[in-house]
Amino acid sequence: MRDVYHKIELANPDLMQQRIAHVTLVVDDYDRAIDFYTRVLDFDVLEDTRLSDTKRWVIVAPKGNTGCNLLLAKAVGDDQTSRIGNQTGGRVAFFLHTDDLRRDFQRLQEHNVRIVRGPVEESYGTVAVFSDLYGNLWDLIQPKP
C-alpha cells in the first residue's frame, strides 16, 4: 500500500504537504500533568504559554521527537472533566516508540507507574502497556529493526 502512495506522490509533486502537529490530552491540572510527563516519562516541555488567568498552551514531547506532540489541555466543565483518563473508551490511546524498551520500562517501574501488560514480543517489536497518571493507556514499543 505504501508503494501506491509513494507513486502518487511522485506523479504529483504539487500535492499538499500535511502532518498532525499536536494531539490533545485532557488533564485536570497543567502543573501536575507537566510533572508526570517530564519527571516520569522524561519528556520535554516545548511550550508553556499563558493565554488567560485559567488557560495555558502547554506542549510536551519525548526528547528528540520530530513528529506529533501532546497538547495538555486543562478540562473546563463537567463534560470535559468526565473525559480525563478515558478519552478512547478504554483502548490504548498513545503509542510511544523507544530505542531501548528495557531502559524505559525500568524507569516506569521506578516511578511506580501502573503496568498493564508486558513486555511481550510481538511481530512488530517488543511492547509493554502502561497507564499514565490519569488512566490513559499507552503502548511503549521498541520496533523491530
Side-chain angles (χ1 to χ4, degrees):
M1 190 63 120
R2 172 68 186 136
D3 290 338
V4 171
Y5 291 121
H6 186 66
K7 288 176 185 173
I8 291 171
E9 290 169 3
L10 293 175
N12 188 354
D14 296 325
L15 281 176
M16 181 172 34
Q17 297 293 310
Q18 296 180 329
R19 68 181 177 87
I20 296 174
H22 314 295
V23 173
T24 300
L25 178 64
V26 181
V27 301
D28 66 348
D29 178 84
Y30 291 114
D31 294 323
R32 182 173 175 226
I34 289 169
D35 178 66
F36 177 83
Y37 289 102
T38 59
R39 185 178 52 80
V40 176
L41 296 187
D42 201 26
F43 283 19
D44 287 328
V45 175
L46 303 181
E47 185 172 354
D48 186 353
T49 303
R50 184 167 297 285
L51 301 176
S52 71
D53 289 341
T54 58
K55 189 174 182 179
R56 290 158 56 183
W57 183 261
V58 178
I59 298 174
V60 298
K63 292 186 182 309
N65 183 60
T66 58
C68 189
N69 306 309
L70 284 180
L71 171 65
L72 304 178
K74 185 176 177 183
V76 176
D78 293 340
D79 195 38
Q80 291 180 15
T81 300
S82 72
R83 301 308 195 273
I84 295 173
N86 193 19
Q87 293 181 189
T88 58
R91 293 187 59 115
V92 170
F94 303 99
F95 300 82
L96 180 61
H97 283 201
T98 180
D99 63 341
D100 189 339
L101 189 126
R102 267 181 220 251
R103 174 199 65 214
D104 295 339
F105 188 77
Q106 181 177 348
R107 182 181 186 91
L108 295 174
Q109 291 177 312
E110 289 169 358
H111 287 279
N112 298 312
V113 171
R114 185 171 74 89
I115 305 301
V116 177
R117 187 189 83 176
V120 297
E121 292 293 324
E122 297 288 354
S123 60
Y124 51 86
T126 307
V127 62
V129 181
F130 70 93
S131 171
D132 69 13
L133 77 161
Y134 298 109
N136 296 299
L137 297 180
W138 289 70
D139 270 4
L140 177 65
I141 303 169
Q142 182 173 344
K144 285 191 175 176

